[in-house]
Amino acid sequence: MVTSVKMSNQLPSLAHGQQGWLKTFQTLKAQQFNGRFVVRHDYRKQWVFYFYLGRLLYATGGLHPVRRWQRHLNATCPSLDIAQLSALGSAHLPAASRCWEYHLLREGSNSGLLSREQLIRLIGGMVSDVVLEISQSPKCGWHTVADRPLEPCKGVLLDPVQFLDSFQQQWQHWQWFGIEDCKPDCAIAIANLQSLQAQMSPQAFQAMTELLDGESTLFEIAQRTGRKLTDLANSLMPLIRSKILRWQDLSDAKPPIGMGSTPKPQSQPSLYRQTIACVDDSPMVCQVMEKILTKEGYQFVGVTESLRAIATLLAKKPDLIFLDLVMPNTNGYEICSQLRSLSVFKRTPIIILTGNDGLVDRVRAKLVGSTEFLSKPVSSSTVLEVVKQYLTVKV
């Protein structure tokens, strides 16, 4: 039987009220509590700490439980085949399992794929990330649910009081740097490419544009670069506050096959579907291009806001780009020149679209690096002819 006991209406933020957490965890430890400690920020954010006899077994939830699990698994056990672990665990996954991630880790431990030391480091890192995420989500409510606990991994039980006491020391560094408003579970995208370029060397700018693609959380960027999360956040927050960079929401990764929700079957999984982008301030033009290209099996990205063109293209990395010449705020020449300055777009076909088919426009388009120049309106046959000319089939 599951019972829920309301313990508090509001969870004090760790910046001001760590003692509230310590007292609660001390109580749960003394009571040898079995069950869940649930923290809720809003309808999207809920975290769960699993307890066994007053000790911490695991923590999950938030926006990216699967990303977090995969990140720490790759960092702790880089040679481990997640597909093998998933296949092993799915064969023994209990019906209505509350926490498939932990179940897979336990099965990996039982089969010898994961050592006790690896599990302690892995689970400790995930618990630390969860506490950090909660600390930056003020006004959270919390409660306990006393129910049947998860089956523990052999010898892997964390002392909740010691863990939180240790985390307080880490949080002091965040306070000292003044980065409590950082969002490590969000991605970072470039909001103002020109301002970013003006503040750093060409080499640093190149590395920054490739790194901040809007598809990796700050946690993941820190892991990829080998930098401490605190140091990375401290270096990027001034650029975010000055609106040169911006936070961007990111969806979670899909669970391994057989875990959580069942992935939808994909048709022709062996074929790589090439992506074509169209940057044009006219929604009608983008709609027409989308209809032409998706009918032929291409993926399509439409961009009608010229100021967001670079950030969107960096995130999607299309194989070919149609680019309108005349747009408000900026023009196709400027965008084309900026794209060619980035290594990821050095060889990407860029097709300029314009209603002015003049010699000067054609020459200028070539000078900034355009591949082809098409006059509007363009027919579907012309679009497909150009696409087939500059894109090779990839399998």
Side-chain angles (χ1 to χ4, degrees), residues 190 196 200 203-213 235-236 239 245 314:
I190 299 172
L196 181 66
M200 53 188 61
Q203 295 82 0
F205 173 72
Q206 184 70 50
M208 189 74 82
T209 54
E210 293 178 0
L211 190 64
L212 305 181
D213 57 5
S235 65
L236 295 178
L239 296 174
L245 304 178
L314 276 169

Side-chain angles (χ1 to χ4, degrees), residues 67-360:
R67 280 180 176 270
R68 184 190 306 116
W69 181 78
Q70 292 177 339
R71 182 176 72 251
H72 283 280
L73 195 60
N74 289 331
T76 307
C77 316
S79 61
L80 180 65
D81 185 348
I82 293 182
Q84 179 186 1
L85 181 64
S86 301
L88 174 71
S90 60
H92 303 90
L93 184 66
S97 176
R98 290 198 308 268
C99 189
W100 61 263
E101 318 105 272
Y102 184 79
H103 171 76
L104 289 191
L105 297 180
R106 186 171 59 80
E107 289 298 319
S109 172
N110 292 340
S111 63
L113 294 176
L114 292 163
S115 68
R116 177 177 179 273
E117 292 72 22
Q118 287 174 324
L119 275 175
I120 291 175
R121 187 163 68 252
L122 190 153
I123 293 175
M126 286 192 283
V127 173
S128 180
D129 284 359
V130 167
V131 175
L132 178 59
E133 291 173 22
I134 297 173
S135 72
Q136 294 169 319
S137 301
K139 298 181 180 179
C140 291
W142 56 269
H143 64 278
T144 58
V145 179
D147 58 3
R148 182 179 178 180
L150 298 176
E151 184 177 344
C153 297
K154 296 176 181 178
V156 183
L157 296 171
L158 303 180
D159 186 321
V161 176
Q162 288 184 4
F163 180 86
L164 199 58
D165 190 40
S166 174
F167 179 81
Q168 288 184 90
Q169 300 175 21
Q170 299 176 35
W171 182 250
Q172 289 175 0
H173 291 285
W174 287 73
Q175 291 179 298
W176 188 81
F177 281 122
I179 53 175
E180 300 97 321
D181 56 340
C182 178
K183 301 177 182 179
D185 56 347
C186 284
I188 298 180
I190 299 172
N192 191 322
L193 193 71
Q194 293 87 346
S195 296
L196 181 66
Q197 188 172 18
Q199 294 198 19
M200 53 188 61
S201 67
Q203 295 82 0
F205 173 72
Q206 184 70 50
M208 189 74 82
T209 54
E210 293 178 0
L211 190 64
L212 305 181
D213 57 5
E215 296 189 347
S216 301
T217 67
L218 193 64
F219 280 128
E220 292 164 346
I221 295 172
Q223 182 188 61
R224 191 185 310 165
T225 58
R227 296 188 62 184
K228 289 184 178 180
L229 184 65
T230 306
D231 295 340
L232 182 63
N234 186 47
S235 65
L236 295 178
M237 285 304 293
L239 296 174
I240 292 175
R241 291 176 183 136
S242 61
K243 301 187 185 307
I244 295 175
L245 304 178
R246 60 182 173 84
W247 297 115
Q248 182 166 298
D249 288 338
L250 197 64
S251 60
D252 196 13
K254 290 184 178 180
I257 294 175
M259 304 296 127
S261 58
T262 303
K264 295 180 180 179
Q266 296 181 349
S267 59
Q268 296 182 311
S270 62
L271 294 181
Y272 168 76
R273 294 183 64 203
Q274 293 170 307
T275 300
I276 299 175
C278 179
V279 181
D280 196 305
D281 62 308
S282 168
M284 181 65 71
V285 171
C286 286
Q287 289 171 14
V288 171
M289 295 291 280
E290 180 177 15
K291 185 177 181 180
I292 294 171
L293 295 166
T294 55
K295 185 178 180 181
E296 295 297 316
Y298 297 101
Q299 295 189 86
F300 180 80
V301 176
V303 184
T304 56
E305 297 180 25
S306 58
L307 293 178
R308 298 188 61 182
I310 300 295
T312 303
L313 296 174
L314 276 169
K316 301 299 182 180
K317 296 181 178 60
D319 300 284
L320 183 145
I321 301 167
F322 286 100
L323 179 60
D324 187 24
L325 190 59
V326 181
M327 292 180 287
N329 302 314
T330 186
N331 59 56
Y333 298 127
E334 295 172 353
I335 294 176
C336 185
S337 178
Q338 292 168 16
L339 290 173
R340 290 304 189 207
S341 70
L342 305 174
S343 63
V344 68
F345 295 121
K346 284 288 186 184
R347 294 183 173 84
T348 303
I350 301 177
I351 315 300
I352 294 290
L353 301 175
T354 182
N356 301 320
D357 189 8
L359 178 60
V360 174

